Amino acid sequence: MTSTGVNPYGANDAYCRESITAQEKHIGAAPVLRAPDGMAEMVTYLPISSPFIRFAGRYVDDAFGVAAGYNFFVFEAMLVPFEITACNVIIHYWSNVVPAGGIIAIVIVMYGLINLLAVKWYGETEF
């Protein structure tokens, strides 16, 4: 099935329509899939660093780009305590030998060491 007409979802529109008609279980996933696919097409057209923030400023408004940048920072800043808590919960599921404060200190030190290493190693640990 081919897409007719111009839409902001690009080439993936035909695939999503076909998957919806072929298998009804994809109805909920198709709209969610369109956002990253649209971003992938935009980055393919204009490859730049920090595409979410820069595209928000370029295609919507500069103020929206600033807001997207602050939103990204807050999200990443909140992710660190979440990962520390998740690590603490997982380790305490196995054993209660190490106290929670010790696990938190170890994870924070590991974050610091990973950030001091080369970008290659930081990317590998995040993967």
Side-chain angles (χ1 to χ4, degrees):
M1 176 178 225
T2 60
S3 176
T4 57
V6 177
N7 60 52
Y9 303 118
N12 190 44
D13 189 46
Y15 171 76
C16 289
R17 287 185 196 173
E18 186 64 30
S19 67
I20 288 173
T21 57
Q23 298 175 348
E24 293 298 323
K25 65 182 180 179
H26 291 291
I27 288 175
V32 174
L33 181 63
R34 287 179 176 189
D37 281 350
M39 179 61 75
E41 287 186 17
M42 291 171 68
V43 170
T44 303
Y45 168 69
L46 186 63
I48 57 175
S49 64
S50 304
F52 287 105
I53 299 166
R54 296 221 179 148
F55 285 157
R58 181 180 181 137
Y59 295 116
V60 180
D61 188 38
D62 287 336
F64 192 72
V66 171
Y70 279 117
N71 187 26
F72 185 73
F73 171 75
V74 169
F75 171 74
E76 290 297 323
M78 294 302 293
L79 190 63
V80 173
F82 172 75
E83 287 181 351
I84 291 172
T85 303
C87 184
N88 193 14
V89 168
I90 290 170
I91 291 174
H92 277 174
Y93 178 78
W94 291 328
S95 174
N96 286 331
V97 175
V98 181
I103 294 172
I104 292 170
I106 290 169
V107 172
I108 289 174
V109 168
M110 286 178 60
Y111 265 117
L113 290 175
I114 289 169
N115 282 309
L116 291 176
L117 295 174
V119 173
K120 179 176 95 172
W121 294 108
Y122 177 75
E124 189 65 30
T125 58
E126 285 296 314
F127 176 68

